[in-house]
Amino acid sequence: MKKEKKERRILVFTGAAALVAVGLNLLLSAINSRRKNSAKKGLPGSSVLVDLSATEISKLADSIIAKSKEIYDRVASVPLEKVCYENVVVPFADLEAEQFPLIQSCVFQRMVSASVEVRNASLEAEKRLDAHFLLCRKREDVYRVIKALLDKGGGIKPDAKRYIQSLVKEMERHGVRLSPSNRIEMERLKSQIDELSLRYVENLSSGPKFLFLSEQELAGMPHDFIKDLENTNSKRKVLLTNYHVTPILEHCKVGSTRKLVATAYGQRGGKENLHILKKLVQLRCKFAQLLGYPNYADFATELRMARSSAKVIQFLEEVSANLTDLSEGELNLLKDLKRKEEGDFPFGMYDLLYYMKRAEEENLSFDFDFGEVKHYFPVNIVFSGILKIYQDLFGLRFEQVTDAKVWHETVQLFSVHDCSSTALLGYFYLDIFSREGKYAHTCVVPLQNGCSTSDGTRKVSIALLLSQCPNEKDGTAALLRFTEVVTLFHEFSHVVHHICSCATFSRFSGLQSDGDFVEMPSLLLENWCYESTSLKMLSGFHQDITKSITSEMCKSLKLRRDMFFGLKIKQEILLCLLDQIVHSREDIDMIELVKDLHPKVMMGIPLLEETNPASCFPRLAVGYESVCYSYIWSKVLAADIFASKFDDDLLNHHAGLHFRKKVLAPGGAKDTLEIISEYLGREPSISHFFERKGSSV
């Protein structure tokens, strides 16, 4: 009788699985049929669907969830004594490879679609998919099977073992080993953390929102800036937003005005946010301790190169100490400038941007005008240069695909081939021109991960570069600011990183790599934007594109980047140490911590009265808690690799190809420190980070 019931359960399960598979196949067939009937062609090797309707997005999300549940149920049914690579790893690896481009097809539309209905459907699908996969990571029955395979060991390749370890660790970090009561407590803590994080951010926009200042108090500000300010009773209304505050701190000659504005801006959030942050830190610590970690910072850094909070603090303090001599020289120069202009008044944090600007004006080799520089960067010339540099450096060939389906007429699609083997590596979409309803920032979205499947085929990598470049108007070239050029060059490096991946598993592909590493390639490649040889390839005067940017302009752009390098990094370190220290303790006095930390890092510059950076630094609350240091970590790695491998020859094809194959190709399939150490032939060093030419003034 028991055997009969078991057989019936298997039959029902198999029947449901078949229906799910048939349903998913029918849906994809219907979508693909509609695509084939159009004048546009599908892409070989691509599972990305770029033209889904709102209804199709909803149905596809349903099918993804159903298929995922089928596979998780199948793996959960494997007897523990019979676990093996084929019945545990293969189903999950194939599921991830198959579903990642379908998931992205559902969710990326919220960033690009011209239809409000489609954007809303995409956002709703993202919420449903996130909720589903969160539940999957908490399935104890599935965890037992995966853990049994890990414990069994034997005969598993290193990348497969790393994959199994990744699955186990992911589920453990989501509380799968906790008792039922502790799981409930974990969810309660998570809910409280989310609520307090939101309150912290909301408080930043509460309180005073503006100041009224006279034109005398705004002496030194550009005429156009003052003209645009609202005039009320002979005073100008200055908003306490970065849009107004930064220009005033850079240009206003009146020290008392700079101090007033900086203080008001620094008081955002106030005591209430300090109280919220204190509670957040306590809750996060309890959350981490519930999972077996001593504190939240150790939980957050466990899967990164740093591995522990102690290592992060040691790193930040070492970088800070090595910058002290340079920073003190820079600070003394600024103090001298203030003494000459304002007399013997104390130097404050509110003086930094103003006197950095004055020093730049004195030290640049000509009357540097960013308005003039902009004329050398038409959008089309910049992108032609970006494509050429990356092709030549990394041994790639980009070809525009003119007959593929896209979601907007301004979107371009390119295929990427390896120059030597001619093998197709992947595709990238460029959606770079401004339009209403589109995501407002420049970023890269992976649409399909490059990986292998159990049937021996390989999925190619596909990426999307989004930006908001100006459109050409009435035959007038659309021009980019230099900062926009750097941002686009930086982001395109993420595209190349993603496409050059040779990982076996989808979850290790390209950008799915260590958080302390993923920004390093882009920060490394940013150097190409400051060297004359490559910068001239990115430029052409808008009225005569044969005239590239001048050598003098190139030198000034690089000098401007490197001036006050020490002081700029010191300010970042202050915030990163604050983030790391508060999250490495169970309870800490924020006010006393900042009072102690600020003068040590900032070489005696006093903290602005009645301000505390802990009250108005949103990264402490949302998204970057305990990992703010990561960008500096990546900068240090990038500086080491640039000085060791590229400094003498930026366009060295052999050096670029070596970097592509040894650093970009593995993705997350190997330990990141091991990858970089093998590439350099030694462990990474911080020394090159302090050798930037022109950083002293």
Side-chain angles (χ1 to χ4, degrees):
M1 185 65 180
K2 287 183 179 179
K3 184 178 180 182
E4 183 181 337
K5 284 184 179 179
K6 183 177 180 182
E7 287 174 350
R8 285 185 65 191
R9 281 200 302 271
I10 293 173
L11 181 62
V12 171
F13 171 76
T14 306
L19 287 172
V20 167
V22 170
L24 180 60
N25 287 335
L26 286 174
L27 175 64
L28 294 179
S29 296
I31 293 170
N32 286 328
S33 175
R34 181 164 65 84
R35 296 170 80 211
K36 287 176 181 177
N37 289 336
S38 71
K40 304 291 185 179
K41 292 182 181 178
L43 284 181
S46 172
S47 299
V48 178
L49 307 170
V50 302
D51 59 339
L52 299 179
S53 67
T55 301
E56 287 171 337
I57 288 173
S58 181
K59 288 182 178 179
L60 182 55
D62 289 339
S63 297
I64 290 168
I65 290 169
K67 178 67 174 178
S68 170
K69 187 176 185 305
E70 174 207 333
I71 298 300
Y72 272 79
D73 288 343
R74 183 193 302 172
V75 172
S77 70
V78 175
L80 298 184
E81 67 276 9
K82 293 186 178 180
V83 295
C84 63
Y85 180 88
E86 287 73 19
N87 61 21
V88 178
V89 174
V90 169
F92 276 134
D94 281 351
L95 180 71
E96 290 179 350
E98 173 192 337
Q99 290 204 326
F100 184 83
L102 301 180
I103 293 167
Q104 295 301 85
S105 297
C106 286
V107 303
F108 93 97
Q109 287 291 344
R110 70 177 176 81
M111 307 175 79
V112 302
S113 178
S115 164
V116 174
E117 183 185 12
V118 169
R119 293 202 300 270
N120 289 340
S122 177
L123 183 60
E124 182 60 30
E126 183 177 38
K127 291 177 182 176
R128 290 172 52 215
L129 291 167
D130 284 348
H132 166 72
F133 288 114
L134 181 61
L135 289 175
C136 289
R137 295 183 190 106
K138 296 178 180 179
R139 286 190 55 166
E140 192 176 354
D141 54 349
V142 175
Y143 171 76
R144 283 195 296 267
V145 173
I146 302 171
K147 187 67 164 62
L149 180 60
L150 181 62
D151 293 341
K152 183 178 180 180
I156 298 177
K157 293 180 180 180
D159 61 343
K161 183 177 181 181
R162 188 172 176 86
Y163 179 80
I164 300 166
Q165 290 171 334
S166 174
L167 291 173
V168 167
K169 179 58 69 175
E170 181 180 63
M171 299 186 85
E172 289 176 350
R173 287 169 66 88
H174 281 84
V176 72
R177 292 193 301 176
L178 298 179
S179 66
S181 61
N182 279 343
R183 287 192 190 187
I184 293 171
E185 174 65 5
M186 181 180 178
E187 290 305 313
R188 187 186 70 82
L189 290 171
K190 181 74 166 60
S191 178
Q192 288 183 300
I193 289 168
D194 290 345
E195 181 184 345
L196 286 173
S197 298
L198 180 61
R199 278 178 54 195
Y200 182 101
V201 174
E202 287 175 342
N203 279 345
L204 293 177
S205 57
S206 65
K209 294 180 172 57
F210 54 84
L211 297 170
F212 287 110
L213 299 171
S214 68
E215 293 194 14
Q216 289 75 24
E217 291 172 306
L218 291 169
M221 297 305 298
H223 174 72
D224 287 345
F225 178 88
I226 293 178
K227 184 181 69 174
D228 289 340
L229 298 177
E230 183 181 327
N231 194 346
T232 306
N233 296 325
S234 300
K235 293 215 170 186
R236 298 289 179 167
K237 186 177 181 179
V238 172
L239 302 180
L240 293 176
T241 64
N242 192 53
Y243 184 70
H244 280 176
V245 170
T246 299
I248 288 173
L249 294 181
E250 286 184 336
H251 296 285
C252 184
K253 293 182 177 180
V254 184
S256 58
T257 298
R258 296 195 304 272
K259 184 176 182 179
L260 176 67
V261 171
T263 302
Y265 190 64
Q267 289 174 338
R268 290 169 305 138
K271 292 181 179 179
E272 185 176 354
N273 265 7
L274 291 180
H275 174 74
I276 289 173
L277 184 60
K278 182 182 179 73
K279 185 65 176 173
L280 266 175
V281 168
Q282 292 170 345
L283 291 173
R284 285 172 179 155
C285 187
K286 288 179 181 178
F287 179 91
Q289 289 174 347
L290 205 59
L291 292 170
Y293 298 86
N295 54 63
Y296 189 81
D298 280 331
F299 167 77
T301 56
E302 179 193 27
L303 302 182
R304 293 172 174 259
M305 286 181 72
R307 297 289 184 264
S308 72
S309 177
K311 179 68 174 177
V312 173
I313 293 173
Q314 178 189 354
F315 164 76
L316 291 171
E317 289 178 341
E318 186 177 0
V319 173
S320 183
N322 277 277
L323 284 171
T324 297
D325 287 346
L326 173 64
S327 302
E328 284 179 344
E330 294 169 346
L331 181 57
N332 288 334
L333 183 146
L334 298 183
K335 287 180 177 179
D336 287 343
L337 288 176
K338 177 165 183 174
R339 197 174 296 113
K340 291 175 185 176
E341 184 167 322
E342 298 184 55
D344 198 16
F345 288 97
F347 192 93
M349 291 295 293
Y350 54 89
D351 291 318
L352 281 172
L353 288 181
Y354 179 77
Y355 286 104
M356 283 180 182
K357 197 78 173 173
R358 300 291 78 72
E360 286 176 6
E361 291 168 356
E362 289 187 7
N363 281 272
L364 292 178
S365 56
F366 68 104
D367 186 14
F368 193 69
D369 181 359
F370 263 97
E372 182 184 355
V373 171
K374 185 177 181 178
H375 292 133
Y376 287 87
F377 295 117
V379 173
N380 60 329
I381 298 298
V382 170
F383 268 97
S384 295
I386 289 174
L387 298 183
K388 177 167 177 53
I389 289 171
Y390 278 95
Q391 285 182 110
D392 293 349
L393 186 62
F394 293 118
L396 303 170
R397 187 177 81 251
F398 304 149
E399 293 180 356
Q400 186 168 0
V401 181
T402 57
D403 57 353
K405 189 77 175 177
V406 292
W407 52 91
H408 191 270
E409 60 184 8
T410 60
V411 176
Q412 295 176 290
L413 174 67
F414 291 81
S415 63
V416 183
H417 292 79
D418 177 73
C419 276
S420 298
S421 67
T422 71
L424 175 68
L425 301 179
Y427 303 92
F428 62 87
Y429 292 91
L430 295 181
D431 187 352
I432 61 171
F433 292 105
S434 177
R435 65 175 181 273
E436 188 177 351
K438 181 179 161 187
Y439 184 68
H441 304 287
T442 301
C443 69
V444 171
V445 181
L447 296 179
Q448 180 169 294
N449 287 334
C451 58
S452 301
T453 58
S454 60
D455 64 5
T457 60
R458 181 163 182 85
K459 286 187 173 292
V460 297
S461 299
I462 304 176
L464 159 64
L465 174 58
L466 282 174
S467 191
Q468 287 279 20
C469 297
N471 292 286
E472 185 175 298
K473 290 183 180 179
D474 301 323
T476 303
L479 305 177
L480 295 173
R481 297 190 299 271
F482 178 68
T483 53
E484 293 171 326
V485 174
V486 176
T487 298
L488 287 168
F489 201 90
H490 173 111
E491 293 300 326
F492 193 76
S493 174
H494 288 311
V495 171
V496 171
H497 183 182
H498 185 66
I499 288 175
C500 289
S501 172
C502 294
T504 301
F505 297 98
S506 174
R507 68 168 45 208
F508 295 148
S509 177
L511 300 180
Q512 314 292 322
S513 55
D514 190 314
D516 285 347
F517 167 81
V518 71
E519 288 294 334
M520 183 279 289
S522 293
L523 290 167
L524 166 69
L525 271 297
E526 274 188 25
N527 286 287
W528 274 247
C529 296
Y530 295 94
E531 300 295 336
S532 180
T533 303
S534 45
L535 196 49
K536 291 186 179 217
M537 295 171 67
L538 295 169
S539 63
F541 191 66
H542 70 108
Q543 293 176 336
D544 181 0
I545 60 172
T546 63
K547 295 180 180 178
S548 62
I549 193 169
T550 67
S551 297
E552 284 297 301
M553 286 181 176
C554 294
K555 289 177 184 176
S556 292
L557 288 168
K558 186 175 183 180
L559 178 61
R560 188 176 188 274
R561 178 198 68 174
D562 291 341
M563 286 180 71
F564 303 105
F565 170 73
L567 282 172
K568 291 172 185 175
I569 297 297
K570 281 273 194 177
Q571 291 177 82
E572 291 182 39
I573 288 172
L574 173 66
L575 296 172
C576 293
L577 278 171
L578 173 62
D579 170 51
Q580 200 62 214
I581 292 171
V582 299
H583 285 107
S584 64
R585 315 279 173 84
E586 189 168 353
D587 191 16
I588 194 165
D589 187 324
M590 306 280 179
I591 294 174
E592 290 302 314
L593 172 63
V594 172
K595 280 183 180 177
D596 177 65
L597 199 59
H598 193 280
K600 286 181 181 177
V601 177
M602 295 309 300
M603 300 159 297
I605 304 177
L607 183 68
L608 280 166
E609 295 176 12
E610 303 298 323
T611 68
N612 190 317
S615 75
C616 53
F617 184 41
R619 291 191 173 199
L620 289 170
V622 182
Y624 293 89
E625 58 274 13
S626 298
V627 296
C628 292
Y629 74 91
S630 194
Y631 213 67
I632 298 177
W633 186 286
S634 290
K635 284 181 179 179
V636 169
L637 290 176
D640 191 14
I641 291 175
F642 181 73
S644 303
K645 300 291 185 177
F646 293 101
D647 199 12
D648 294 333
D649 188 356
L650 285 178
L651 302 179
N652 187 323
H653 167 72
H654 297 292
L657 199 58
H658 187 56
F659 180 79
R660 171 189 147 192
K661 292 184 175 180
K662 295 296 182 181
V663 180
L664 300 184
K670 288 177 66 177
D671 178 79
T672 309
L673 180 59
E674 182 183 337
I675 289 172
I676 294 176
S677 296
E678 288 179 0
Y679 170 69
L680 291 172
R682 56 171 171 77
E683 286 195 358
S685 166
I686 70 169
S687 61
H688 289 118
F689 188 59
F690 314 111
E691 298 173 358
R692 296 182 79 157
K693 299 168 185 176
S695 59
S696 58
V697 289

